[in-house]
Amino acid sequence: MLTIIKSLSEYEQLYSKYVTERNLRGYINYFISKNNISTYINDERIKYDVIDETLFLFVDQDDYYKMYFWGLNTNIRNLPVADKEICCDVYEQQNNNFSVASLHQLFIENNYECKQKYEQVRLSYGHLHTISFKYLEENKWKLTESNMHIRTVGVNDKHKVEQLIINNMGKYNGLSIEDGKWEEQVKNNNVVGIYISKMLIAVYYFTEKAGRIVVEKSYRSKNLSVYLRMYFASQRRWLNSSKNQYDWAEADNISTKITFEKLFAIYTGKIKYRYVKTIC
């Protein structure tokens, strides 16, 4: 049975007991933005359960829980039960890694379905910066011809961004506790979009570890995702930057892989499996 975490101090005590004080050897998938924890706790949207000394955290994302775990190992046979759908991402360093086969089996035996498989890519925006201006200059007429324009997304467009992501990528890809504060993301020019008049038709939501780039279905096959990446790469902060950004390419999405090829992306070998448990 899930228990609501009532305060930040309670969360910190749980984290200390089951994470900090233990020499964890099992798998971990903890990617929560620390800036969001207090807000979610105040809204009573974080719950937990402990099975065989493994701490499971459940973050209420309205339509489902996002589940996180620390030290999940092959000795565990059961996963917690919840009152709504659960989404959980499982990571491995390379494809067909037999050392995690039992972990995948654990999820299947507990009635989870593997919905998606992603491959991690690494991008260098410092490298892209040198070609982005030229690319945009040569291709901007294509946008103008279609009455499209690129700009930083406004603070008040959060709902438009969330709805665009959910409509075209599914609710499990919506903005969550893993993302930074919306106002800070916009202030730092980390959300750029393509508009027709005031209608948002494509958006790039940037984070260093994983972003989202989504194009409205009726506007696909127009290279809009590449325009967004190039527009983002042309920002002054990438002029002399050596920082890398990591993203995920859905394994079976050919158009996404073609886009990453154009952006000189390098595959790291890390795989992400998205498991979902539905409530009948």
Side-chain angles (χ1 to χ4, degrees), residues 113-130:
E113 181 182 356
C114 187
K115 289 286 189 178
Q116 291 162 312
K117 174 184 174 183
Y118 301 88
E119 300 174 41
Q120 190 184 60
V121 296
R122 184 174 68 247
L123 293 162
S124 171
Y125 278 110
H127 175 66
L128 283 178
H129 184 84
T130 61

Side-chain angles (χ1 to χ4, degrees), residues 47-66:
K47 303 177 183 181
Y48 77 95
D49 197 0
V50 176
I51 296 180
D52 293 335
E53 292 300 300
T54 296
L55 177 64
F56 294 87
L57 203 69
F58 290 80
V59 180
D60 192 335
Q61 299 290 171
D62 297 323
D63 293 333
Y64 67 97
Y65 289 116
K66 192 73 181 286

Side-chain angles (χ1 to χ4, degrees), residues 33-242:
S33 170
K34 293 182 180 179
N35 295 329
N36 290 331
I37 288 177
S38 294
T39 299
Y40 273 75
I41 289 175
N42 290 339
D43 293 339
E44 297 190 346
R45 295 175 66 182
I46 299 185
K47 303 177 183 181
Y48 77 95
D49 197 0
V50 176
I51 296 180
D52 293 335
E53 292 300 300
T54 296
L55 177 64
F56 294 87
L57 203 69
F58 290 80
V59 180
D60 192 335
Q61 299 290 171
D62 297 323
D63 293 333
Y64 67 97
Y65 289 116
K66 192 73 181 286
M67 185 175 78
Y68 302 88
F69 53 79
W70 292 265
L72 194 61
N73 57 69
T74 57
N75 297 322
I76 296 176
R77 290 291 177 264
N78 298 299
L79 294 173
V81 177
D83 58 343
K84 65 174 70 177
E85 290 186 5
I86 303 171
C87 172
C88 184
D89 293 332
V90 177
Y91 301 82
E92 63 179 81
Q93 185 53 44
Q94 59 184 358
N95 199 10
N96 299 321
N97 185 345
F98 291 104
S99 66
V100 296
S102 58
L103 184 64
H104 294 294
Q105 187 65 28
L106 171 66
F107 278 83
I108 297 300
E109 290 176 352
N110 282 269
N111 300 315
Y112 281 76
E113 181 182 356
C114 187
K115 289 286 189 178
Q116 291 162 312
K117 174 184 174 183
Y118 301 88
E119 300 174 41
Q120 190 184 60
V121 296
R122 184 174 68 247
L123 293 162
S124 171
Y125 278 110
H127 175 66
L128 283 178
H129 184 84
T130 61
I131 65 172
S132 60
F133 288 103
K134 181 180 178 182
Y135 183 89
L136 289 172
E137 191 65 26
E138 292 176 348
N139 291 276
K140 65 181 181 181
W141 64 271
K142 298 177 184 177
L143 293 172
T144 304
E145 189 178 62
S146 300
N147 197 30
M148 299 178 184
H149 62 279
I150 306 179
R151 64 174 173 84
T152 300
V153 171
V155 174
N156 295 330
D157 280 350
K158 181 180 181 181
H159 176 71
K160 292 181 181 179
V161 171
E162 290 180 315
Q163 202 58 54
L164 190 66
I165 293 172
I166 292 170
N167 289 347
N168 293 276
M169 298 181 70
K171 63 183 179 181
Y172 304 117
N173 289 288
L175 301 183
S176 71
I177 195 171
E178 297 180 10
D179 296 293
K181 189 176 180 180
W182 171 257
E183 290 78 9
E184 292 181 1
Q185 281 289 87
V186 173
K187 179 182 177 181
N188 294 328
N189 297 316
N190 283 338
V191 192
V192 296
I194 296 180
Y195 292 79
I196 294 180
S197 186
K198 294 183 179 180
M199 182 174 66
L200 182 65
I201 62 168
V203 71
Y204 176 31
Y205 183 97
F206 168 85
T207 68
E208 291 186 7
K209 292 185 178 180
R212 297 167 187 79
I213 189 159
V214 55
V215 178
E216 184 68 50
K217 293 176 183 176
S218 57
Y219 291 94
R220 292 177 182 174
S221 301
K222 297 180 183 295
N223 233 20
L224 299 189
S225 60
V226 176
Y227 296 144
L228 283 172
R229 297 271 190 185
M230 292 303 189
Y231 179 82
F232 187 80
S234 67
Q235 294 180 5
R236 290 178 60 88
R237 61 172 141 167
W238 302 110
L239 179 59
N240 296 308
S241 176
S242 60

